[in-house]
């Protein structure tokens, strides 16, 4: 290869700038910022050779990184050819990466509990199964991500995990020593116990194991600085709901119910747990509210008014207003999107359910990340 131009070469500077636009698909940060660029060489005839350091040898997205780097560099005027050489970080480089991501010492903590965290944490709960809680979680998360927010999901329904399928995720998480990098779909970082089991194998765990699994998801999984984190809880008020209150005391509860009175009665218990844990209820979401008929009009298959009744009861129990955030209609396209792994807010945004879900997400997005109780680091003059 011809000798590389000097460090002041305009072409080399342009190449370096282009590399800064290549985003690691798991960490969602520039590879230059993460110390993943080992070396860059530019020959006099415009051929660029860049060595990129992968976190692990079996990095599942190595082809994506290669393609993105090649695309970014090929677009630089004056570049005639691009060679991307993939290498693997050594232990010292991995330790440096973990410290960069986690802070000094790479401490294992729950970042969302730290005083400087501005992440809004939503625990999506229901009184019973089958009300569409997971579908609501996935669509709200992807709708917020589509608005440019940084979003993550913890599928905390260990026995009935379904988020990976609803998001179309088949990729396993990447493990860098004791740090887990979650797969990303539609701009949302997702972790689920379903990513660690084989096939449709059931998870037969008792209380302490459930708590430990949730704790590990919150400490070992690197989500980065999120605007919003959603937890898809199992139905009811069991071990996971209690663990969430202990591990994430600032989490706000989103209660999902259906219009029928019986469902509202059960959902009330899922929301009223906030009175015991000191958590806030962000609002109630009524799912399967009605079915739009082909000839016009609506059919209320499961009755009506359950969401409104529930908000009234919870407002009385908690002594604060609890809003009804939206009423999502029954929609075949919502089911089809779930089966295909394409959330309806993205695949069919103009559908009745897609519009309503996007409207609920807009309300959540309008709620600012609070500064109350935070140290701003200001010094009096």
């Amino acid at each position: 290869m011809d000798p590389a131009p000097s460090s002041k070469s305009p072409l080399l500077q342009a190449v370096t700038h282009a590399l800064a636009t290549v985003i690691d698909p798991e960490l969602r940060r520039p590879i230059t910022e993460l110390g993943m660029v080992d070396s860059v060489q530019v020959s006099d005839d415009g051929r660029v050779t860049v060595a990129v350091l992968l976190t692990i040898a079996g990095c599942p997205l190595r082809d994506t990184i290669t393609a993105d780097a090649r695309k970014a560099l090929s677009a630089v005027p004056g570049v005639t050819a691009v060679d991307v050489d993939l290498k693997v970080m050594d232990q010292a480089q991995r330790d440096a990466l973990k410290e960069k991501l986690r802070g000094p010492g790479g401490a294992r903590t729950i970042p969302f509990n730290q005083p400087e965290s501005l992440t809004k944490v939503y625990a999506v709960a229901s009184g019973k199964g089958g009300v569409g809680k997971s579908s609501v979680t996935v669509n709200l998360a992807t709708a917020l991500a589509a608005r440019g927010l940084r979003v993550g999901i913890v599928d905390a329904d260990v026995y009935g995990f379904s988020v990976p399928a609803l998001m179309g995720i088949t990729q396993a998480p990447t493990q860098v020593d004791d740090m887990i990098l979650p797969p990303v779909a539609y701009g949302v970082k997702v972790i689920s116990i379903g990513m660690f089991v084989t096939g449709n194998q059931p998870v037969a765990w008792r209380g302490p194991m459930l708590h430990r699994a949730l704790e590990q998801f919150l400490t070992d999984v690197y989500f980065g600085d999120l605007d919003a984190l959603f937890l898809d809880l199992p139905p009811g008020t069991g071990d996971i709901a209690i663990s969430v209150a202990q591990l994430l005391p600032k989490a706000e509860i989103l209660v999902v119910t259906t219009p029928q009175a019986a469902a509202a009665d059960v959902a009330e218990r899922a929301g009223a747990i906030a009175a015991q844990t000191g958590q806030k209820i962000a609002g109630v979401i009524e799912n399967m509210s009605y079915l739009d008929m082909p000839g016009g009009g609506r059919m209320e298959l499961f009755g009506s008014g359950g969401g409104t009744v529930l908000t009234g009861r919870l407002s009385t129990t908690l002594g604060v207003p609890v809003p009804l955030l939206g009423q999502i209609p029954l929609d075949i396209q919502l089911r089809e999107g779930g089966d295909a792994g394409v959330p309806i807010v993205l695949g069919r945004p103009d559908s009745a359910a897609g519009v309503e879900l996007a409207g609920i997400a807009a309300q959540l997005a309008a709620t600012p990340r609070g500064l109350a109780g935070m140290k701003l680091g200001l010094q009096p003059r």
Side-chain angles (χ1 to χ4, degrees):
M1 176 179 295
D2 295 330
S6 69
S7 59
K8 296 182 180 180
S9 162
L11 181 55
L12 181 57
Q13 292 178 5
V15 164
T16 303
H17 179 75
L19 283 172
T21 68
V22 180
I23 307 299
D24 180 271
E26 293 175 310
L27 295 171
R28 311 300 287 178
R29 289 168 65 174
I31 60 174
T32 51
E33 182 183 317
L34 297 170
M36 295 176 64
V37 178
D38 188 47
S39 64
V40 181
Q41 292 182 319
V42 181
S43 66
D44 289 337
D45 62 358
R47 189 178 193 91
V48 176
T49 301
V50 57
V52 177
L53 297 173
L54 302 176
T55 52
I56 60 172
C59 177
L61 296 176
R62 56 191 298 136
D63 292 341
T64 300
I65 295 173
T66 299
D68 289 350
R70 193 182 302 280
K71 180 180 179 181
L73 294 175
S74 297
V76 176
V79 171
T80 58
V82 176
D83 294 319
V84 180
D85 182 18
L86 298 182
K87 299 181 178 180
V88 180
M89 289 183 175
D90 58 29
Q91 189 60 53
Q93 291 166 329
R94 281 195 294 271
D95 290 342
L97 174 63
K98 289 187 294 181
E99 185 164 337
K100 181 185 293 288
L101 297 175
R102 288 177 169 172
R108 294 176 68 246
T109 60
I110 298 178
F112 312 108
N113 286 341
Q114 300 307 302
E116 66 274 11
S117 175
L118 293 175
T119 304
K120 296 284 290 184
V121 181
Y122 296 106
V124 186
S126 67
K128 63 187 185 69
V131 299
K133 171 179 51 59
S134 297
S135 293
V136 168
T137 300
V138 162
N139 278 280
L140 292 181
T142 52
L144 287 179
R147 297 173 69 93
L149 276 67
R150 294 164 295 188
V151 186
I153 297 177
V154 173
D155 187 357
D157 193 350
V158 175
Y159 299 138
F161 55 83
S162 58
V163 171
L166 293 172
M167 296 283 283
I169 297 175
T170 57
Q171 173 197 337
T174 300
Q175 187 151 357
V176 182
D177 299 334
D178 63 349
M179 184 172 67
I180 300 171
L181 307 182
V184 180
Y186 308 112
V188 179
K189 296 182 178 181
V190 182
I191 195 69
S192 170
I193 196 65
M195 300 172 180
F196 299 91
V197 299
T198 303
N200 204 27
Q201 179 182 353
V203 179
W205 289 353
R206 302 186 70 175
M209 295 180 69
L210 296 173
H211 181 91
R212 174 59 186 141
L214 180 60
E215 184 177 32
Q216 186 171 6
F217 281 167
L218 296 173
T219 55
D220 293 353
V221 176
Y222 178 76
F223 285 101
D225 183 21
L226 298 180
D227 294 295
L229 175 69
F230 288 85
L231 290 94
D232 183 23
L233 304 187
T237 56
D239 293 307
I240 290 291
I242 296 170
S243 292
V244 168
Q246 293 173 342
L247 296 171
L248 294 168
K250 295 181 181 179
E252 299 182 18
I253 300 174
L254 288 169
V255 184
V256 180
T257 187
T258 54
Q260 62 197 98
D265 289 340
V266 179
E268 182 182 1
R269 295 195 289 271
I273 193 174
Q276 302 177 32
T277 62
Q279 292 171 287
K280 176 184 175 181
I281 294 185
V284 170
I285 299 170
E286 184 183 278
N287 196 23
M288 309 179 191
S289 296
Y290 55 86
L291 177 66
D292 283 322
M293 303 302 293
R298 295 177 175 178
M299 177 182 292
E300 296 173 333
L301 294 173
F302 300 110
S304 63
T308 301
V309 169
L310 179 57
T311 57
R313 291 179 182 175
L314 290 176
S315 297
T316 300
T317 299
L318 300 175
V320 294
V322 175
L324 178 63
L325 297 176
Q327 296 173 294
I328 306 167
L330 280 164
D331 196 325
I332 292 177
Q333 296 175 108
L334 180 59
R335 189 270 304 166
E336 291 175 341
D339 288 344
V342 181
I344 193 172
V345 294
L346 302 180
R348 298 293 180 90
D350 296 331
S351 64
V355 169
E356 187 69 9
L357 283 160
I360 297 171
Q363 294 179 65
L364 299 181
T367 304
R369 303 202 293 179
L371 296 174
M374 291 187 60
K375 296 181 180 180
L376 300 180
L378 301 178
Q379 297 292 332
R381 306 184 81 178

